[in-house]
Amino acid sequence: MGTDREKLVVIGNGMAGISAVEQILKLTKRFEITVFGSEPHPNYNRIMLSYVLEGSKTIDDIVLNDLNWYRDNGITLHTGTTVEKIDEQAKEVVTADGMRVPYDKVLIATGSNSFILPIPGSDKEGVVGFRDIADCNQMLEAAKTCRTAAVIGGGLLGLEAAKGLVQLGMDVTVVHLMEDLMERQLDHQAAGMLKAELERQGIKFKMGAQTAELLGDTRVSGLRFADDTVLDAEFVVMAVGIKPNVTVAKESGITVNRGIVVNDYMQTSMEGVYSVGECTEHRGVCYGLVAPLFEQGMVLAKHISGVEAPPYEGSVVSTKLKISGVDVFSTGEFIDGPEHTVIANKDDWKRTYKKILLKDGIMVGAVLFGDITDSAELQKLIKQKTVMTDELYSSLMGTGCGGGKKTTSVETMSDEEIVCGCNGVTKATIVDVITNQGLTTVDEIKACTGATRSCGGCKPVVEQILQYVLGDGFKTSAKQGICGCTTLSRDEIVAEIKEKGLQTTKEVMNVLGWSQPEGCSKCRPAINYYLGMLNPDTHEDEKESRFVNERMSANIQKDGTYTVVPRMYGGVTTPEELKKIADISLKYDVKVVKVTGGQRLDLIGVKKEDLPKVWEELDMPSGYAYAKSLRTVKTCVGSQFCRFGTQDSMGMGATLERKFERLDFPAKFKLAVNGCPRNCAESCTKDIGIVGNDGGWEIFVGGNGGIKARLADTLCKVKTDEELIEIVGSVMQYYRETGNYLERTSEWVERIGLEQIKAVVVDDLENRKALMERIEFALKQVEDPWKKMLRDGDNSGKLFNRLEMSNQL
Ligand SMILES: Cc1cc2nc3c(=O)[nH]c(=O)nc-3n(C[C@H](O)[C@H](O)[C@H](O)COP(=O)(O)OP(=O)(O)OC[C@H]3O[C@@H](n4cnc5c(N)ncnc54)[C@H](O)[C@@H]3O)c2cc1C
Ligand SMILES: NC(=O)c1ccc[n+]([C@@H]2O[C@H](COP(=O)([O-])OP(=O)(O)OC[C@H]3O[C@@H](n4cnc5c(N)ncnc54)[C@H](O)[C@@H]3O)[C@@H](O)[C@H]2O)c1
Ligand code: SF4
Ligand code: FES
């Protein structure tokens, strides 16, 4: 049925083309739209193929626009139909099977093809790219019969493919040309951390390897490298990049470089013909991520619909790897050169890394590993070419006292700014559905606008917008698991462990339906902690679920040696003890003895195999410097010696340390006790700070002197030592029972609320007593790990073997 509407023909039924069509439909109904797609499917979310492979989504889950959508919007769809060229003279689009469709305007959105290495054997059976549903299905099929796979290419795609194949039970080696993974997005530091994490998750790597040939008869059986070494592989995935699909444009005489060359309004060299997506080259750049493609689509939609629009000026891209338990993010410039000012922070303990690059004071790029909560914020600041200030620095790098909350920046975002890059949702759209449709949760916004639907990277910003628009009416309902292996929250897991009487991490993962049977480095230690906290008498600590320092009961150093920190209650020692420490240090060639910030002595440089002998000869309790446990109780001189002292801080410090040592906490725990408000032992930055005052004690909670400094809050004042011990014990137990694993008290206090903590441990005497009973019970079960090791020996026989390097966590 003919109409007098303008005829728009879209070549390519992929993410960029159909997103542009969606934008056009919002602006005008003046086009009669026909879409051609080579694939036999309606438009689907290509990004999610990684999740289909990994098993967490099905093909049906990832359809973005089903056939009804095309029908409802009056779009004629030809699936399984490839366009050959545009006949400019006839003003017709010509398909490979000879169909001719007249046009007024054409949009070319033909995407990319996988780049297949031009090496002998690359056409063998069992060699695939990873681009579409057909490739994904081939991989799923192969996993049923093949055991070994090689993924060539250690970029985003290769790593996601490798993880998917590991999930399917295959033995997978990633073969990478360079020495660093994802070298187009990460610096050397982050790439190293990423590799270590993926190795933990079961992926093998062959780095710096150039594949010369794929071996096998008709079917691939292995890889031969340029140095003539060989790797067996029954299945090979090529993930070495993509090639813009410019065939139609080339055949039609349109200017093509690497991609189809367009101007700032996405117009090609041919009158009436536009191009968006991965096939397009704008100002010399071809993009390979969806966010820029959606931005292009918006500009195109306005231009083609006759709506005035600013030109497309290129995009700052950012990437996030979609592998559960691996949080890595990169945006803008990421390799530092002499022109950059580098702000960097690496935490070996939490295995996090943050780097921000400045050029002439302006933020131009960032890399995050381990903790990507600031990703959306950084992406926005870098996109806006923001100048770094002291305030921003403190907010991003977490320095400065008082723990001031980050200011939300959504207020300063323009309405047109895209919040969800994957789905092209702007701030204005989100604000609109909150204000006009009364939506109050991230899930509702997701259902209505698509924001957060794909990679999830935009969720923090969507939450911020909700909070900003609703103020106090905001509640977060988005379901967030403790890691990518589960959607269960910490509280749900703890409740299930209690209700179902679960005993081991394996059991928790099996019964509660973990997506990865072995869990990951985030959930395994957390569950081990929750089990121990809930069942102090029956839980068998799972050493393999502990971080290396905890397994060794010592902190590993850069050079592979360890440190030994013996317990010195309240920071007090004797000349005899000091002499013993000095003798042993000399005997075992300890090069440095360091006085720590917590007033202890740290014997640095003990060889792994000497650890048991050093512990035995010291014959002192472990100082737990490696553990998520009570580390130290720092004390001032106090009333025993100090002229100002009103309380015996040294005595009380030692008492508290003796009483509460050895227990596991969600994170490390530090105390300080002061004899008077002069506060020489710095209570304000401790998890619990105690200050002698008015003949009694004043107690503070939630202080932190670390990366995210925070001054402690006043909890209460008590008159007696007994009351002090009881409040300290019950705060500790309340934190043990309600803290998220790895959550310091500084974060816990903010999350739970000071008033709630007061209500439970100060005001409610019965509750306080119950908490004390539970902590006393737990305390009865604990034993010094050095003594235990000396008595029971090392069951594995490997822990103190010089050559054995444990790297599970
Ligand atoms: C496994 C995987 C994971 C990814 N993950 C992410 C991610 O997390 N984040 C991100 O931003 N990006 C990701 N990407 C990249 C993202 O999917 C692409 O950038 C995006 O899909 C490109 O959209 P496009 O429309 O330009 O191309 P495509 O989505 O490839 O669409 C082009 C379509 O045109 C069809 N076509 C080609 N030629 C013709 C013709 N002559 N006639 C008719 N039809 C034709 C093709 O068959 C195809 O269906 C991922 C890609 C893959 C493969
Ligand atoms: N999470 C995400 O954002 C995501 C996920 C998957 C794919 N993608 C996109 O899909 C596209 C394809 O991804 P990709 O990872 O293939 O592209 P890529 O170009 O980012 O990475 C290819 C990698 O292969 C390596 N390589 C090149 N030749 C090699 C060889 N002969 N042997 C071994 N390694 C070799 C390169 O060093 C590079 O690291 C990209 O545009 C990517 O951005 C994005
Ligand atoms: S805090 Fe008070 S009691 Fe303790 S050392 Fe300082 S001045 Fe003396
Ligand atoms: S940015 Fe990926 S889902 Fe929003």
Side-chain angles (χ1 to χ4, degrees):
M1 190 176 68
T3 68
D4 52 4
R5 290 190 296 163
E6 279 184 74
K7 294 178 177 60
L8 169 64
V9 177
V10 180
I11 309 173
N13 188 25
M15 295 186 74
I18 296 306
S19 162
V21 169
E22 286 176 336
Q23 296 300 329
I24 293 170
L25 290 172
K26 282 184 197 160
L27 298 171
T28 178
K29 299 283 177 251
R30 76 172 195 234
F31 292 110
E32 183 190 328
I33 303 173
T34 303
V35 176
F36 287 99
S38 298
E39 292 184 70
H41 310 280
N43 173 43
Y44 64 90
N45 191 338
R46 199 171 299 284
I47 296 176
M48 301 282 233
L49 286 176
S50 305
Y51 295 133
V52 174
L53 185 66
E54 186 208 64
S56 58
K57 297 270 177 222
T58 65
I59 299 289
D60 286 347
D61 293 336
I62 69 169
V63 170
L64 287 169
N65 299 89
D66 61 16
L67 295 176
N68 292 336
W69 176 84
Y70 294 87
R71 198 197 50 221
D72 295 347
N73 286 287
I75 298 169
T76 307
L77 171 67
H78 298 282
T79 55
T81 310
T82 297
V83 170
E84 202 170 66
K85 64 172 187 179
I86 301 163
D87 182 342
E88 194 183 12
Q89 299 304 320
K91 283 210 125 195
E92 285 173 346
V93 166
V94 186
T95 69
D97 53 15
M99 194 191 320
R100 284 184 161 264
V101 176
Y103 73 83
D104 297 301
K105 297 270 179 343
V106 177
L107 171 57
I108 309 179
T110 45
S112 299
N113 294 320
S114 303
F115 178 64
I116 300 294
L117 290 174
I119 50 172
S122 61
D123 55 352
K124 285 190 195 305
E125 243 178 75
V127 181
V128 293
F130 184 18
R131 182 70 199 175
D132 54 26
I133 290 181
D135 296 334
C136 197
N137 282 338
Q138 271 204 62
M139 292 159 88
L140 291 167
E141 275 306 306
K144 291 183 189 159
T145 52
C146 305
R147 207 184 54 77
T148 52
V151 175
I152 307 182
L156 289 155
L157 187 66
L159 297 179
E160 289 180 12
K163 187 59 203 299
L165 294 173
V166 164
Q167 291 281 102
L168 292 171
M170 295 185 91
D171 179 338
V172 184
T173 304
V174 171
V175 174
H176 192 51
L177 192 58
M178 317 299 279
E179 291 304 330
D180 284 333
L181 293 176
M182 279 175 63
E183 79 284 355
R184 292 176 188 173
Q185 291 90 13
L186 299 181
D187 64 357
H188 181 64
Q189 183 63 51
M193 294 171 92
L194 173 65
K195 180 164 169 277
E197 181 55 44
L198 293 175
E199 279 169 341
R200 268 179 218 112
Q201 296 202 12
I203 300 177
K204 295 176 184 159
F205 290 95
K206 183 162 174 64
M207 307 297 283
Q210 183 160 13
T211 313
E213 183 186 359
L214 298 185
L215 306 170
D217 297 330
T218 50
R219 196 182 163 83
V220 70
S221 64
L223 290 74
R224 187 178 58 77
F225 300 107
D227 64 1
D228 261 354
T229 54
V230 167
L231 174 77
D232 289 340
E234 296 160 87
F235 188 68
V236 172
V237 180
M238 291 254 191
V240 291
I242 49 176
K243 232 176 38 194
N245 185 350
V246 297
T247 318
V248 171
K250 233 181 188 170
E251 285 295 309
S252 313
I254 292 170
T255 307
V256 165
N257 198 12
R258 184 171 135 74
I260 303 167
V261 177
V262 294
N263 65 12
D264 288 356
Y265 292 96
M266 315 317 295
Q267 292 169 295
T268 68
S269 63
M270 187 182 276
E271 171 72 31
V273 178
Y274 294 78
S275 179
V276 292
E278 282 187 352
C279 57
T280 307
E281 180 176 319
H282 172 262
R283 298 191 187 180
V285 182
C286 296
Y287 293 95
L289 294 163
V290 290
L293 315 186
F294 288 135
E295 289 179 42
Q296 295 175 352
M298 299 235 291
V299 174
L300 160 100
K302 285 187 176 155
H303 193 265
I304 209 170
S305 309
V307 176
E308 209 170 309
Y312 176 66
E313 294 182 325
S315 304
V316 176
V317 290
S318 58
T319 41
K320 187 176 164 289
L321 187 66
K322 303 192 299 297
I323 294 185
S324 56
V326 187
D327 289 330
V328 47
F329 168 85
S330 157
T331 187
E333 297 174 29
F334 58 95
I335 299 282
D336 36 292
E339 70 280 23
H340 291 115
T341 305
V342 183
I343 302 171
N345 192 337
K346 176 170 166 273
D347 184 335
D348 287 335
W349 183 256
K350 290 198 166 180
R351 281 190 262 165
T352 56
Y353 174 62
K354 178 184 276 185
K355 181 172 90 171
I356 301 174
L357 291 184
L358 311 181
K359 223 186 242 170
D360 300 325
I362 295 171
M363 297 167 68
V364 291
V367 178
L368 302 177
F369 185 89
D371 176 0
I372 56 164
T373 28
D374 286 334
S375 57
E377 175 76 354
L378 281 167
Q379 194 176 334
K380 180 181 146 269
L381 293 168
I382 288 161
K383 195 171 167 187
Q384 292 174 346
K385 301 188 172 71
T386 312
V387 174
M388 180 59 86
T389 59
D390 281 347
E391 203 187 359
L392 253 182
Y393 178 88
S394 304
S395 154
L396 290 166
M397 302 307 285
T399 57
C401 277
K405 276 209 153 86
K406 282 181 190 165
T407 51
T408 152
S409 52
V410 291
E411 303 154 59
T412 55
M413 263 181 157
S414 75
D415 283 350
E416 283 312 301
E417 202 167 311
I418 293 197
V419 172
C420 175
C422 291
N423 299 291
V425 185
T426 60
K427 176 187 167 189
T429 308
I430 296 173
V431 171
D432 178 64
V433 295
I434 299 170
T435 40
N436 296 328
Q437 297 189 32
L439 306 190
T440 58
T441 67
V442 175
D443 281 347
E444 286 168 350
I445 292 174
K446 180 185 186 176
C448 184
T449 67
T452 77
R453 186 164 55 159
S454 308
C455 72
C458 55
K459 204 167 110 194
V461 187
V462 175
E463 281 186 346
Q464 278 181 27
I465 296 177
L466 260 173
Q467 202 152 15
Y468 164 62
V469 178
L470 296 180
D472 290 345
F474 168 70
K475 60 180 188 299
T476 175
S477 77
K479 189 110 168 51
Q480 192 161 36
I482 59 164
C483 68
C485 306
T486 177
T487 53
L488 294 175
S489 68
R490 176 250 182 238
D491 290 349
E492 286 167 332
I493 294 166
V494 168
E496 294 277 2
I497 293 175
K498 278 193 207 162
E499 193 190 311
K500 299 194 163 81
L502 306 177
Q503 297 291 332
T504 64
T505 51
K506 263 241 143 18
E507 209 180 352
V508 171
M509 290 166 186
N510 282 341
V511 175
L512 304 184
W514 246 237
S515 65
Q516 308 193 70
E518 297 296 320
C520 68
S521 58
K522 266 192 182 166
C523 58
R524 280 191 351 241
I527 293 169
N528 187 42
Y529 167 74
Y530 298 137
L531 286 165
M533 178 270 290
L534 291 167
N535 311 311
D537 51 341
T538 56
H539 175 61
E540 288 219 6
D541 188 42
E542 297 170 17
K543 276 241 179 282
E544 67 284 3
S545 296
R546 296 252 185 193
F547 292 107
V548 59
N549 288 346
E550 292 176 81
R551 279 204 304 276
M552 298 300 297
S553 303
N555 284 321
I556 192 163
Q557 303 298 296
K558 266 186 180 170
D559 62 358
T561 62
Y562 286 80
T563 66
V564 169
V565 182
R567 183 72 81 185
M568 284 176 183
Y569 297 98
V572 178
T573 182
T574 60
E576 292 75 24
E577 222 167 45
L578 276 179
K579 186 165 180 305
K580 182 165 65 173
I581 289 171
D583 288 343
I584 291 168
S585 298
L586 285 170
K587 179 172 172 187
Y588 289 99
D589 203 20
V590 169
K591 295 279 186 288
V592 175
V593 179
K594 166 90 175 67
V595 180
T596 70
Q599 302 176 332
R600 303 298 182 267
L601 289 179
D602 189 353
L603 282 54
I604 303 177
V606 179
K607 292 184 203 72
K608 188 181 189 180
E609 63 271 27
D610 287 341
L611 281 172
K613 286 176 273 181
V614 172
W615 296 339
E616 184 167 20
E617 289 172 40
L618 276 174
D619 192 25
M620 290 171 75
S622 166
Y624 276 77
Y626 46 81
K628 292 165 190 38
S629 180
L630 176 58
R631 292 279 180 93
T632 54
V633 182
K634 186 172 179 177
T635 63
C636 75
V637 180
S639 62
Q640 285 189 43
F641 302 99
C642 176
R643 288 181 300 138
F644 304 105
T646 59
Q647 289 285 15
D648 177 10
S649 46
M650 279 200 296
M652 178 51 78
T655 303
L656 289 170
E657 193 163 348
R658 278 182 202 285
K659 182 160 183 64
F660 296 113
E661 66 177 324
R662 296 178 191 153
L663 271 189
D664 280 333
F665 286 83
K668 62 184 166 185
F669 202 93
K670 298 178 180 179
L671 257 72
V673 186
N674 292 274
C676 85
R678 284 175 181 77
N679 202 8
C680 294
E682 298 151 349
S683 280
C684 59
T685 54
K686 297 290 179 282
D687 295 280
I688 295 184
I690 298 163
V691 175
N693 205 350
D694 295 337
W697 300 98
E698 187 163 10
I699 307 173
F700 299 84
V701 285
N704 192 322
I707 296 179
K708 295 203 170 166
R710 180 181 192 277
L711 288 178
D713 294 314
T714 311
L715 182 70
C716 63
K717 286 183 179 177
V718 293
K719 282 284 167 220
T720 65
D721 290 358
E722 291 68 35
E723 246 185 305
L724 172 67
I725 294 169
E726 213 174 80
I727 297 271
V728 168
S730 46
V731 169
M732 285 176 167
Q733 183 63 10
Y734 190 40
Y735 168 55
R736 278 170 35 85
E737 290 179 4
T738 57
N740 295 324
Y741 184 71
L742 293 185
E743 180 181 47
R744 292 294 304 266
T745 58
S746 47
E747 299 153 307
W748 174 72
V749 168
E750 297 212 345
R751 182 171 61 81
I752 299 272
L754 185 66
E755 290 313 311
Q756 164 71 11
I757 297 169
K758 277 186 188 167
V760 171
V761 303
V762 182
D763 305 337
D764 186 341
L765 285 184
E766 228 170 86
N767 217 342
R768 191 200 302 175
K769 291 254 174 300
L771 284 164
M772 263 326 265
E773 273 168 28
R774 292 201 291 275
I775 200 168
E776 297 279 11
F777 181 69
L779 282 164
K780 284 202 186 98
Q781 324 298 326
V782 290
E783 185 181 356
D784 186 278
W786 293 353
K787 298 264 182 304
K788 184 170 186 309
M789 185 70 74
L790 292 171
R791 190 193 61 223
D792 299 347
D794 161 24
N795 292 336
S796 71
K798 288 178 176 173
L799 221 44
F800 301 101
N801 181 324
R802 192 159 51 90
L803 299 174
E804 198 69 34
M805 204 42 216
S806 229
N807 62 358
Q808 292 166 40
L809 281 173

